[in-house]
Amino acid sequence: MEDCFETLISSYLDTKVGIVADFVSEELAQHLIDRLFALKEQNLLKAAGIGNVAKLTHNAEIRSDEIYWLERNNNNEFENQFLDQMDAYVSYLNRSCYTGITGYEFHFALFDKGSFYRKHLDQFKDNSSRQFSMITYLNQNWQPEDGGELCIYDDEKVQKVAPTNRKTVFFKSDELVHEVLETNKARLSVTGWLRRD
Ligand SMILES: O=C(O)CCC(=O)C(=O)O
Ligand SMILES: [Fe+2]
């Protein structure tokens, strides 16, 4: 597991956008996909909001995904396995880079066909707790024509990341503007932020 942590961190240090192709195991990815579809079936996904909790607004012209927060007290084996892996990652990151991360928050996200998320920064203007953004994709057999790329803007450079199964992306939440291009089929992920409170 530490090899993939190291790949994520060293690519982040080299290019500001850390990427590793296989952050979660195939088994865990499959269980998380099943969990997300089960939540959808049970109508437990909610329209994602914009901004901080106190002034959360919903605006489908900015983002049109649906989310569900991973929580230990959901008592779901596979959410917990994912969170265990995050605990290990945070401890590795804090040990190797002195990042002082004190917590995290993660949600499942489902972008249905035709959904997108326009350009934004992840850190809120009125709360700087979010330090790093981290997204793990859960899309088997994703093809270029499926769209849904994550586009990350850094000055003149634009990096397009295809949301392929088991890939994780890691970047600073206050630094890089990014967007999700319209997806041509259902696009699944676990998205979250490492916090310093
Ligand atoms: O799903 C992605 O690739 C990015 C999602 C995102 O930018 C967000 O939820 O803030
Ligand atoms: Fe974002």
Side-chain angles (χ1 to χ4, degrees), residues 174-185:
D174 61 350
E175 200 174 69
L176 297 181
V177 170
H178 54 282
E179 71 178 321
V180 177
L181 301 184
E182 185 172 330
T183 182
N184 299 322
K185 76 181 203 200

Side-chain angles (χ1 to χ4, degrees), residues 63 111 117 120 122 135 137 150 178 180 187 189 191 193:
R63 68 185 295 190
F111 287 75
Y117 192 167
H120 65 281
D122 284 347
I135 306 133
Y137 299 109
L150 170 65
H178 54 282
V180 177
R187 174 192 191 272
S189 55
T191 298
W193 298 276

Side-chain angles (χ1 to χ4, degrees), residues 100-119:
I101 297 303
T102 55
Y104 53 66
E105 53 196 340
F106 281 93
H107 62 60
F108 286 108
L110 172 64
F111 287 75
D112 254 329
K113 181 176 161 55
S115 303
F116 50 79
Y117 192 167
R118 302 293 184 223
K119 280 187 188 175

Side-chain angles (χ1 to χ4, degrees), residues 5-19 89 93 97 99 131-133 170-176:
F5 294 170
E6 196 51 52
T7 304
L8 199 53
I9 294 170
S10 58
S11 54
Y12 161 73
L13 293 172
D14 286 347
T15 68
K16 299 192 201 169
V17 180
I19 299 188
Y89 181 65
L93 183 69
C97 303
T99 33
Q131 299 296 311
F132 294 99
S133 304
F170 175 70
F171 53 92
K172 281 283 283 156
S173 300
D174 61 350
E175 200 174 69
L176 297 181

